[in-house]
Every structure is written in structure tokens, then in C-alpha cells.
Amino acid sequence: MNEAEGNEGLKDFIRDRVQADLAARKYPGVVTRFPPEPNGYLHLGHAKSICLNFGIALENDGICNLRFDDTNPVKEDTEYVDSITEDVKWLIDGWADSVLSEKTFFASDYFEQLYGYAVQLIQDGKAYVCELQPDEWEEYRGVPEKPGKESPGRSRSPEENLALFERMRAGEFADGEKTLRAKIDMASPNLHLRDPVIYRIRHEEHHHAGDQWCLYPMYDFTHCLSDSIEGISHSICTLEFEVHRPLYDWVLDNLPVPQPRPHQHEFSRLNPTYMVMSKRKLLQLVEENHVSGWDDPRMPTIAGYRRRGFTASAIRNFCQGVGVTKYKGLTDVSLLENAIREELNKTAERRCAVLDPLEVVIENYPEGESEELEAVNNPEDEAAGKRSVPFGRRLFIERADFMEDPPKKFFRLGPGREVRLRYAYFITCQSVEKDADGNITRLICTYDPETRGGHAPDGRKVKGTIHWVSAEHAVDAEVRLYDRLFTEPEPEAAGDFLESLNADSMKVVTGKLEPSLAELSPGERVQFERLGYFTPDAEDTAPDKLVFNRIVGLRDSWAKIAKK
Ligand code: ATP
Ligand code: MG
């Protein structure tokens, strides 16, 4: 078995089933697939499906196919094919890339073969051409308790059906004029078995198949046969397809497909709080400009998380932790936030940045001079070593670290109070300068040269330690502070999900950063001490402009709100 990070000991009903099938020698090996429709970017729910399909292949020395389920030319696009390919590769990189099929599969590559299977059904009297129109469908389909009515086309001979089907392919009919339906059971309590449509006419060019077709197979006909063509053993999908399974089985049982044939297994969708998890709604957010694009760092898309600075491993750990069940429930999004926080606490180097700057002048520090102080890169990882940070007469501290009239429990800076500047000296605030409106503009302080490195030789203690940057050396950066995109745990529960959009989901500030941060590249992540984890924005950072994204804060700020 490969190094299956955190996969050891993973156990659920699907994995049990895979083990049972292997023990019974039902399949020569495990072949799974991840089958997105290229009609949007991948989201966190897809990440769960990727972790499951690739994880099971990895644990069993199998393979996992990336297959585009591209049967609907109207909503699909190569932009999505490209983004999905990139996102899948990014998510499994260094973990399960060894089980990814070398080739990328497209259901549309099977159109000719699927057409042949449809012809076979027609010849066997198991499919027929139907002329019913959408306004008649409901009446003919019936309701679960009451059988449907037979379409007039149902009694046509195979020869006639075949001739019509060929003419459908040749483009002789308009969209919707005719369909091909499987002849199953108009009285079945499962409506999916009441002669489902398996082909429809769409005079539409296809992003992958080009203009060869005006006849397109439906999902239920395509999916099981694509699984069969690729030799899939376990076809894993979400619960809404459970009612489609009898149709999946019917198609494979009524055609001469190779054995052993694939079987479908369903699990419940990932449904995280404070998010919407459907491509249609995410597309709406993009099209109506509620976000800057599919990769907006507030979007629950894989591209959004990547740009925001999340690691693939944190997303995978979250998905594995949630587990695989048939239970429909909500997943607390703070589990994902904790996963990235926990990882970055161990791996991210510490740096200093001030996001709401207040100037401090150390009046007894020699003018025009500066010095380099030693700072620890990561207290959780000694190997990360140390760096030097410049210190001088003028500094910036966070405005929130000073109070003119501090309450008892406030241990940071106030008039006449002494605090430790992280890695530097003790300073005492001597006086406060204000503008004409009474706003504090500057603090005049003194430092104790004996306290270099943050300790007083006389053993004197201070209660507070604050961070700072040297004003002379600081670099400016645009810093984007993200918050959850929705204010409601279930944005869809109360009707229009747009109503619970969080108006404060992004705050932009100009930060003062320690100079080493100018060297950081997108993909590198740091902790801004006391503030959170940050990374340069891959899209908007330019040689003359630093832009940082907040990946996640140091603590869960929503936990406090929930307790109030
Ligand atoms: P959406 O509802 O967002 O449009 P979809 O199910 O139509 O998603 P597909 O591209 O058809 O998206 O899905 C590819 C695979 O990902 C399918 O096997 C599907 O079951 C799975 N999947 C989609 N959403 C989720 C989710 N929220 N949780 C787990 N798996 C999911
Ligand atoms: Mg879909």
C-alpha cells in the first residue's frame, strides 16, 4: 500500500463493501472514477468525492479515472474541463497521484459505442422512439401510486424504431421532437423505471465531440455504460442517485457488457455550514458579481481555497475526518478552518505585520540609527531557525494595542505603562499626540536598552507583549481579510440564499509588513504574529504591489459569537 496519509484505519460502509468484494474475488482489482460534469468549478463537496474515490483506489493498489461526464453540451465548457483537471491534480498531488489514470476520460468519447448499445436495445425490443412532448410527459408518467400510460410509440416495431433513430442521428428532426426511451415498466413504483428517456435531440456543438452529434445520450444511460467501458469496479456517487440505481442495473443487465460489471454505491453529500454547495448557485454568485470569480478566495471552490492559501492536505484531512455515511447532515465549517489552522501552526513561519498602524516614536533611541534583532521563525519547529528584523526609532504597532484609559485587565500599552515589544525591548508610553479632532496620531515612548531580546536584567516583569514593525523598513501591502461568505449556517434554508450574503465577507486594509515579507511568493504561507495565517495573492500580486490574503484567523472568531 502507498503512503496513505491518515488513510490507515479509515473505515466506512463503502470501504467494507470493497473489502468484501475483494475477499469474494468479485473483481480482479479496484478501479474507481471521479466523474464531474464540466459545467462549473469543483467545490468542497467534490473534494470529498475525490478523497473517497482516490483514497479507496490508493488503499487497494487500484486506479482512479478522471472522467468528464459530458453529455449536456449546453452547459458545458472547456474552461471547466481545464479548471477541474488542474484542481483534481492539485488536490491529490503528493498523496494519490500514483493512482490517477494516465489518460483523462470523456464520456463523449464513447458516443459512438453508446449509440451502438442503443441500437442493440432497439433491436431487442427494449427501446423505442417516442413523440410525446414535455407538456404530455407528466400525464403519461403518472404518480408513484398510480401506473403511467403507455406512449403511442411503445408498440412500434424494432425496424421502424431503428429507422427513426437513424434519422434522429442524421439531424432530420428538431430539438425535442423525438426521444429514445428504454422500454421498462410504466407501472413501476420507481418513476425512473417508467420508460426513461435515454436519448434526446440537441442541435448543439459539443465542447469535446465537436459538431458530430445532434443526438445526445442521457446521464442514466451514459454513466453505467461509461463505468462498464472503463472497467470500473465500484461506482461511488451521492445519495440522490440511489433511486437511479435500478436503472443503472437495468441498462447493464440488458446489454451484453463485459463481466464482472460495475456496481453503484451511494453516500451522503457533504453539506458544510455557512456555504452553498451547488455549481448552479456558485455560478449565480459569479455571474451576478457577488464575488470576483470562481476562484474568489471566499468561494467554497477548490480554486478559491487554493488562491486563499489553503493547502490540499488540510482539505483532504477535513474530508477524511468528516467520514462517509448515508446520514444527511450538516458539517460544521469550523472543522475545515481548524484543519488548516492546525497544519499551519506547525508549518508556517512567523512574521510581523501591523494591519491597523499607530506610529510610535522611541524618543531616547538615537536618531538615524537602527539595528538587527533576532526573531524565532517557528516556535513549533526549531529547524525553521531564526531571522533578523530591523528595529529603529520609529515603529508601528496595532492601534488596538494601545488604550488611553485602559481598564484593569488590559495588559498592553497605555500612558505610563510598560510592555514588551516582541523580540525587542521593553517600552514605556510617555505621552500621546493627537490631531485637531482628538484622534491619536502618535505615541511618544522610551525604551530600556538593558532589555534587548525581551528580558530585564533586574528581573522586572511586564504583563503584555505586542508586535511591531520598524517604520523606516516596513513595506506596504494590501491585505485582504476574509470572512465567511454567508451569515446563516444554512443559507438555503430560509429561501433565497443571496439574502444571507455576508456584507463584511471581505475587508481590505493597508498593512505595514516586516521587510522579509516582500520576498514571499504565492504558495508560501506565514503566520502574521497574533493576527492569523496569510499568503500572497497569486492573481493580484505584482512586482510593485504586494497583496496578501488572510487564509484563516488564529482563533475561531465565530465561536464567541455563537456563545453570546
Ligand atoms: P452540483 O450539485 O454542485 O452541481 P453535481 O453532483 O452535479 O454537483 P458532478 O460534477 O455531477 O456535480 O459531480 C461529480 C461527483 O462529485 C459526483 O460523483 C457527485 O456525486 C460528487 N459530488 C458532488 N457534490 C458533492 C457533495 N456535496 N458531496 C459529495 N460528493 C459530491
Ligand atoms: Mg450534476
Side-chain angles (χ1 to χ4, degrees):
M1 197 201 281
N2 288 306
E3 172 263 336
E5 134 213 312
N7 280 31
E8 319 86 43
L10 276 187
K11 221 178 130 45
D12 51 63
F13 71 97
I14 295 184
R15 287 180 161 93
D16 287 348
R17 182 62 194 271
V18 170
Q19 291 318 312
D21 288 346
L22 288 177
R25 301 190 183 281
K26 190 164 170 186
Y27 298 103
V30 171
V31 186
T32 56
R33 86 284 170 267
F34 173 64
E37 184 181 357
N39 62 351
Y41 279 55
L42 296 183
H43 52 58
L44 198 56
H46 295 114
K48 178 169 176 183
S49 174
I50 292 169
C51 287
L52 184 59
N53 281 297
F54 282 89
I56 286 178
L58 187 65
E59 291 149 24
N60 296 288
D61 284 323
I63 44 176
C64 181
N65 291 354
L66 169 59
R67 180 204 312 149
F68 289 98
D69 209 333
D70 53 351
T71 53
N72 183 358
V74 184
K75 293 192 172 156
E76 299 166 1
D77 199 275
T78 45
E79 177 199 346
Y80 300 132
V81 171
D82 295 343
S83 76
I84 289 171
T85 308
E86 183 185 359
D87 291 351
V88 169
K89 288 188 172 160
W90 178 77
L91 194 63
I92 66 170
D93 183 42
W95 170 61
D97 19 8
S98 61
V99 297
L100 172 64
S101 57
E102 264 173 43
K103 178 174 170 258
T104 298
F105 298 88
F106 292 84
S108 56
D109 285 339
Y110 311 138
F111 281 172
E112 193 61 56
Q113 206 172 339
L114 297 180
Y115 182 84
Y117 276 130
V119 166
Q120 176 90 53
L121 284 182
I122 294 172
Q123 284 168 340
D124 294 345
K126 290 173 178 170
Y128 62 93
V129 174
C130 171
E131 279 92 10
L132 289 180
Q133 291 304 297
D135 58 338
E136 299 167 294
W137 284 349
E138 210 171 303
E139 179 202 338
Y140 276 81
R141 194 193 303 118
V143 290
E145 312 76 53
K146 209 172 135 250
K149 286 201 295 183
E150 290 191 1
S151 156
R154 204 175 204 264
S155 53
R156 208 184 272 119
S157 72
E159 293 71 31
E160 282 174 286
N161 280 318
L162 206 51
L164 280 173
F165 193 51
E166 279 165 11
R167 290 174 59 200
M168 285 165 69
R169 177 178 184 169
E172 289 187 30
F173 306 108
D175 286 6
E177 207 179 320
K178 295 188 191 320
T179 57
L180 185 73
R181 295 175 67 180
K183 194 185 218 172
I184 309 181
D185 179 5
M186 287 309 293
S188 172
N190 182 341
L191 297 185
H192 294 283
L193 293 181
R194 290 194 184 173
D195 293 8
V197 172
I198 57 175
Y199 269 89
R200 62 180 167 181
I201 299 170
R202 274 262 197 287
H203 289 269
E204 194 82 45
E205 185 156 330
H206 188 280
H207 62 95
H208 186 73
D211 57 6
Q212 294 178 61
W213 294 90
C214 62
L215 187 63
Y216 290 98
M218 302 295 287
Y219 170 89
D220 282 318
F221 185 66
T222 311
H223 204 90
C224 50
L225 288 169
S226 303
D227 284 346
S228 163
I229 291 166
E230 291 173 17
I232 301 298
S233 57
H234 298 82
S235 178
I236 301 166
C237 61
T238 36
L239 268 186
E240 68 273 21
F241 292 104
E242 197 169 24
V243 286
H244 296 243
R245 188 174 358 119
L247 180 51
Y248 184 104
D249 291 339
W250 184 91
V251 173
L252 295 184
D253 290 343
N254 283 278
L255 282 167
V257 298
Q259 301 296 326
R261 68 162 177 85
H263 280 268
Q264 179 183 301
H265 308 270
E266 310 87 13
F267 69 102
S268 63
R269 297 174 83 82
L270 177 69
N271 190 12
T273 53
Y274 298 97
M275 281 181 197
V276 293
M277 199 95 311
S278 108
K279 281 181 281 192
R280 193 175 53 77
K281 295 199 171 101
L282 297 175
L283 178 65
Q284 194 181 343
L285 290 172
V286 172
E287 286 186 334
E288 295 177 6
N289 296 314
H290 299 292
V291 293
S292 65
W294 284 99
D295 70 345
D296 185 304
R298 294 166 294 178
M299 287 282 271
T301 52
I302 296 182
Y305 287 118
R306 178 171 58 236
R307 181 167 168 193
R308 174 134 164 197
F310 275 65
T311 59
S313 48
I315 296 175
R316 294 196 304 260
N317 286 334
F318 163 75
C319 290
Q320 310 282 31
V322 167
V324 180
T325 66
K326 280 203 182 251
Y327 168 74
K328 289 186 196 170
L330 277 174
T331 299
D332 188 343
V333 68
S334 59
L335 294 173
L336 173 66
E337 294 160 356
N338 285 340
I340 184 69
R341 209 178 267 130
E342 233 170 75
E343 180 176 322
L344 294 181
N345 180 43
K346 293 192 206 110
T347 58
E349 292 197 358
R350 274 53 169 172
R351 293 290 182 271
C352 285
V354 172
L355 300 185
D356 185 13
L358 172 61
E359 193 182 335
V360 165
V361 178
I362 315 279
E363 59 180 357
N364 59 337
Y365 194 89
E367 228 158 315
E369 278 189 26
S370 66
E371 66 188 293
E372 294 289 329
L373 296 168
E374 215 174 50
V376 174
N377 281 332
N378 187 352
E380 303 284 324
D381 176 14
E382 219 173 300
K386 293 184 175 165
R387 70 186 186 287
S388 63
V389 287
F391 183 86
R393 186 177 154 90
R394 280 177 53 242
L395 312 170
F396 291 114
I397 64 166
E398 294 290 345
R399 209 159 262 281
D401 283 336
F402 175 81
M403 279 184 89
E404 208 174 2
D405 189 13
K408 240 183 156 176
K409 287 263 163 80
F410 187 84
F411 297 125
R412 292 166 273 166
L413 207 52
R417 293 195 176 202
E418 187 170 48
V419 293
R420 175 188 295 109
L421 294 179
R422 185 102 163 118
Y423 309 119
Y425 296 96
F426 288 6
I427 60 165
T428 304
C429 175
Q430 304 297 347
S431 61
V432 177
E433 290 182 1
K434 294 184 182 174
D435 65 14
D437 299 326
N439 301 312
I440 299 170
T441 53
R442 231 156 63 135
L443 303 181
I444 308 299
C445 300
T446 51
Y447 84 122
D448 177 355
E450 299 294 313
T451 56
R452 194 172 198 268
H455 301 283
D458 64 3
R460 177 168 100 249
K461 297 266 184 274
V462 284
K463 281 204 167 144
T465 301
I466 64 176
H467 65 276
W468 54 275
V469 292
S470 161
E472 191 194 332
H473 304 90
V475 290
D476 281 2
E478 176 177 320
V479 181
R480 299 172 180 171
L481 305 171
Y482 299 109
D483 202 347
R484 293 176 183 169
L485 193 51
F486 294 95
T487 53
E488 292 296 325
E490 290 181 83
E492 286 140 304
D496 186 0
F497 71 105
L498 293 176
E499 277 172 21
S500 58
L501 266 176
N502 181 1
D504 300 319
S505 61
M506 178 165 86
K507 202 174 139 198
V508 180
V509 299
T510 302
K512 300 284 184 187
L513 276 47
E514 76 167 72
S516 70
L517 285 168
E519 316 298 320
L520 218 62
S521 313
E524 294 185 288
R525 306 165 180 90
V526 291
Q527 183 191 102
F528 287 180
E529 292 211 30
R530 300 175 64 219
L531 297 174
Y533 296 97
F534 292 78
T535 193
D537 185 80
E539 290 297 313
D540 298 339
T541 300
D544 57 343
K545 189 179 179 204
L546 289 177
V547 181
F548 275 81
N549 293 324
R550 179 169 69 194
I551 307 167
V552 69
L554 285 187
R555 295 171 204 89
D556 182 359
S557 56
W558 287 71
K560 276 181 283 172
I561 296 170
K563 271 194 214 125
K564 266 187 195 163

